[in-house]
Amino acid sequence: MEKVSSILARHMKKWGVTHIFGIPGKAIVPLLLEIDTTNIEFILSKHESGAGFEAAGYSLLSNSLGVAVGTSGPGGTNLITAAAQAKAFHIPVLIITGHPSIKDVGKALGQDSTLFGTDLVEMFRPVTKFSVRIERGDQVKSYLSHALEKAFSGVKGPVHLSIPADVLTEEIEPFEMNLPESQHVVSSNYHEVIDVLNNAKRPALILGKGVHSSKAYEEVRRIAEVWGIPVMTTPGGKGTFPSKHSLSLGAYGLGGTDESEAYVEEGIDVMLVIGTKLTDMSLAGFREEHFPKRVIHFDYDQTFIGKTIDVPTLFIQGDLKRNLQLIISEMMRRGLGNDSASIRILEEERVINHDLKRNLQQLLDEMNRRGQAIDAELLGVALEQASSIEQYDQGDWLSSKTCMEVMNDVLPSESIIFGDAGSHSYYAIKYLDIKQPGTFFFDDVFGAMGYAIGYSIGAKLAAPNKKVICLTGDGCMFMHGAEVSTAVNSNAPVIFIVMNNSGLDMVDKGMKNMTGKSVGTTYSHPVDIYQFALSMGALPYKCRTAEEFKHSLQTALGYNKAVVIEVLVDPDEVPPTMRRTL
């Protein structure tokens, strides 16, 4: 026989979990003691929401299970926000909360987590894929199996188990359980996509964060290149396609580029949508007159298919990567996807930046004259050569746009960047260059302020050899900035870039734009991020100019400790988020 707590800890070790995040409490002490015996590192977070964010970031970069632990009552309720954020991000996280004692249910208990107190199981249900209380030891195997299957099947997501303290110490028959393998559900009508795209006159490809979830970066690039389809990303899809690719129009919706907006204004006949539910954030500024004649929509979840854009829609349900792979195989069988595809990209009038296109064409004409080969990879190199880097602007404040230009110049191409909820990330969505797919992560669905602080810490612990950057703001730091202490204490050398404009910038400008005034959006006494970071043991910098920021960022890249770079940005600069309406 073996204690339930021992079985759980042993399995976490078996599954390759190296870090578990949480805050101790009486109800979960038996589990924490067993975790300690397995040499899994328990990371003491500063708030349970932070623990949940960290577990999600860990899962995202480890491509495995994240685990967050909280005690009963408020420990559990604090994890609800993190669960909702993980669900919006499609991240498999196992959340375990405690309860004083199942045998005492119905009596007056402190931090009661049943229906007699704070019913955590019911509270977690809307924000997880599975939530249940384990009331007897003989339920552990079955409920744990259900939870893991839900976490890793279809659209991945968080699950919740409430396990009372006396159940954790109960001895049961030991068992073995593996993490479920992903099931690649394939649509029966994927082959129809080829004919629709072959007949499209002016298509557009729009990518969401489902491409991140499926790691289908190479597949979407192949599809775009074969048909020469201009590519736009949703705010959450930022990072799924290289910015310098000749077909990239940048982002659409909030933080959208002029190029993507101009292309939509000129009309689209077929919109190929991959991995996004098309929220109001993704389609800000998109009106009925912009509707395409037809939509091809790839997604696992049918809930919002055809609801936002009411036109004939070809729904390709299931695993994005696998469906795209089958389409690529089919088009190669038909003779599409050969080496002439890259030349066709230039011939199409779907590349919007005409000045840049002219520069490219001159370069490629010269390459043709010399008999040099042309391929898609070379196009990306040529594009980078043809583009010019703007000079940094200088003024009384550092502009947020300039911050992005400095980051473009300094950060290595493989740096992993997490954008927090706020205008700072929408500047990144519009101006930050994506040099490698899978290096920028942002959520435009739930958008919990401060989540990126925790995500970046968990990600760094999962991938210690990667440079991990958190792009956040002063408002987000007020929410969850104490997690910088977690980074310091857990030796997670994240670089936190904090754009400080003394208020809740996105809300402030949006409220003024829509109503003519703002209420409760600025601080009469702004936070001093430098002093705040210093108090927690991080290495702090305060920057007022582009050169100071550049020097600080270059220096931070050489340190192996948590660094906080405060950038004082123009509080009057209008962010690229004004397309939303009441």
Side-chain angles (χ1 to χ4, degrees):
M1 304 293 281
E2 187 177 4
K3 289 181 181 179
V4 169
S5 56
S6 174
I7 291 173
L8 290 173
R10 178 169 54 80
H11 273 83
M12 291 172 192
K13 183 71 172 181
K14 173 184 174 180
W15 297 332
V17 176
T18 59
H19 296 78
I20 292 175
F21 306 85
I23 296 177
K26 178 182 176 182
I28 55 169
V29 163
L31 179 58
L32 298 184
L33 293 175
E34 291 294 342
I35 288 171
D36 188 58
T37 67
T38 65
N39 293 321
I40 295 175
E41 188 170 355
F42 180 76
I43 302 298
L44 173 58
S45 306
K46 304 305 167 287
H47 190 279
E48 285 87 358
S49 288
F53 296 149
E54 286 146 14
Y58 175 91
S59 173
L60 191 61
L61 254 62
S62 68
N63 295 312
S64 187
L65 183 70
V67 181
V69 180
T71 193
S72 54
T77 58
N78 285 343
L79 276 161
I80 290 173
T81 297
Q85 186 62 73
K87 189 176 183 183
F89 241 121
H90 318 314
I91 298 176
V93 176
L94 173 61
I95 297 171
I96 297 176
T97 62
H99 172 72
S101 173
I102 196 66
K103 64 180 174 53
D104 292 325
V105 169
K107 299 178 182 178
L109 298 172
Q111 298 186 338
D112 191 337
S113 295
T114 70
L115 58 87
F116 292 97
T118 304
D119 195 338
L120 291 180
V121 170
E122 287 299 319
M123 287 184 171
F124 271 98
R125 278 183 177 147
V127 295
T128 60
K129 295 186 67 182
F130 183 74
S131 178
V132 71
R133 181 175 298 105
I134 299 178
E135 299 182 345
R136 303 189 312 272
D138 60 1
Q139 296 176 329
V140 172
K141 182 178 180 181
S142 175
Y143 282 168
L144 180 61
S145 176
H146 281 300
L148 295 175
E149 286 168 5
K150 292 289 186 181
F152 285 94
S153 64
V155 180
K156 298 180 179 68
V159 292
H160 167 242
L161 297 177
S162 172
I163 312 178
D166 52 349
V167 175
L168 284 172
T169 58
E170 186 177 339
E171 292 193 347
I172 62 172
E173 195 69 34
F175 59 84
E176 296 297 325
M177 186 180 298
N178 296 321
L179 291 179
E181 293 187 8
S182 298
Q183 300 299 311
H184 300 299
V185 177
V186 175
S187 175
S188 62
N189 59 347
Y190 70 86
H191 56 280
E192 296 178 32
V193 172
I194 295 176
D195 291 332
V196 175
L197 291 180
N198 280 341
N199 294 319
K201 303 300 181 185
R202 191 175 166 81
L205 174 54
I206 185 163
L207 306 177
K209 66 172 172 281
V211 178
H212 280 311
S213 299
S214 62
K215 304 291 191 293
Y217 308 122
E218 180 63 20
E219 288 77 11
V220 297
R221 183 189 63 80
R222 287 288 307 278
I223 294 292
E225 289 178 352
V226 166
W227 278 283
I229 309 175
V231 179
M232 299 179 282
T233 61
T234 67
K238 175 80 173 183
T240 59
F241 198 78
S243 305
K244 296 296 186 182
H245 194 288
S246 58
L247 289 169
S248 175
L249 298 177
Y252 188 76
L254 289 195
T257 64
D258 296 338
E259 290 82 3
S260 65
E261 185 177 8
Y263 190 80
V264 169
E265 288 290 339
E266 291 176 19
I268 297 169
D269 63 341
V270 175
M271 179 180 282
L272 178 57
V273 180
I274 300 181
T276 171
K277 62 182 70 174
L278 297 175
T279 68
D280 59 329
M281 311 284 273
S282 304
L283 292 180
F286 192 82
R287 303 180 298 277
E288 190 169 348
E289 58 263 33
H290 298 144
F291 282 11
K293 296 177 182 177
R294 189 166 190 182
V295 169
I296 306 171
H297 203 145
F298 286 71
D299 213 324
Y300 244 117
D301 186 5
Q302 192 172 0
T303 303
F304 296 104
I305 303 298
K307 303 290 197 306
T308 303
I309 302 177
D310 188 13
V311 300
T313 299
L314 173 60
F315 177 38
I316 308 299
Q317 187 171 23
D319 182 77
L320 302 181
K321 189 178 183 76
R322 186 58 183 147
N323 276 308
L324 291 170
Q325 287 173 339
L326 290 171
I327 291 171
I328 291 168
S329 296
E330 175 65 14
M331 72 187 189
M332 292 182 69
R333 188 185 68 79
R334 297 189 192 185
L336 297 171
N338 54 35
D339 292 339
S340 65
S342 57
I343 299 175
R344 182 183 174 190
I345 293 171
L346 288 177
E347 295 171 344
E348 294 288 349
E349 288 301 324
R350 298 167 186 166
V351 179
I352 299 304
N353 192 330
H354 298 295
D355 291 335
L356 188 53
K357 181 180 176 181
R358 184 164 55 249
N359 293 336
L360 272 172
Q361 193 63 59
Q362 291 172 355
L363 181 62
L364 292 168
D365 286 344
E366 177 64 17
M367 291 165 60
N368 271 326
R369 188 182 67 78
R370 297 182 184 182
Q372 292 176 269
I374 302 172
D375 59 24
E377 183 178 358
L378 190 55
L379 286 178
V381 175
L383 180 61
E384 193 161 0
Q385 291 173 345
S387 63
S388 61
I389 299 174
E390 295 180 29
Q391 293 295 313
Y392 299 148
D393 61 355
Q394 301 289 350
D396 295 334
W397 300 92
L398 183 58
S399 83
S400 297
K401 178 175 180 288
T402 299
C403 288
M404 299 305 111
E405 293 169 351
V406 173
M407 291 172 65
N408 286 336
D409 280 358
V410 174
L411 290 179
S413 60
E414 69 276 8
S415 301
I416 305 294
I417 303 170
F418 288 90
D420 223 327
S423 64
H424 44 271
S425 287
Y426 286 98
Y427 282 106
I429 287 162
K430 185 164 186 174
Y431 299 113
L432 193 69
D433 286 339
I434 300 302
K435 300 160 188 173
Q436 293 183 18
T439 55
F440 184 88
F441 297 96
F442 173 75
D443 172 55
D444 59 346
V445 175
F446 189 68
M449 289 179 64
Y451 80 88
I453 300 171
Y455 272 55
S456 62
I457 296 168
K460 183 63 179 178
L461 292 172
N465 294 325
K466 293 185 181 292
K467 294 293 183 184
V468 177
I469 317 296
C470 175
L471 178 62
T472 189
D474 51 323
C476 293
M477 288 293 283
F478 269 129
M479 293 271 188
H480 288 289
E483 294 305 320
V484 170
S485 173
T486 304
V488 171
N489 284 283
S490 62
N491 297 314
V494 174
I495 299 174
F496 299 92
I497 299 172
V498 186
M499 294 168 63
N500 189 347
N501 49 24
S502 305
L504 303 175
D505 185 59
M506 184 174 168
V507 181
D508 179 64
K509 304 303 190 304
M511 197 183 300
K512 287 176 180 175
N513 183 58
M514 289 186 284
T515 70
K517 63 181 291 188
S518 63
V519 178
T521 57
T522 58
Y523 309 122
S524 58
H525 188 82
V527 60
D528 187 330
I529 299 295
Y530 180 96
Q531 294 293 337
F532 185 40
L534 186 65
S535 72
M536 292 183 286
L539 181 64
Y541 290 91
K542 187 186 291 284
C543 307
R544 293 177 174 84
T545 69
E547 288 306 318
E548 287 178 349
F549 181 35
K550 183 175 183 178
H551 173 74
S552 299
L553 192 51
Q554 288 173 331
T555 305
L557 289 168
Y559 282 108
N560 190 36
K561 64 179 298 181
V563 177
V564 177
I565 303 175
E566 178 183 19
V567 186
L568 300 176
V569 294
D570 186 355
D572 296 321
E573 187 176 6
V574 179
T577 56
M578 295 298 103
R579 292 179 181 174
R580 295 182 81 188
T581 57
L582 286 173

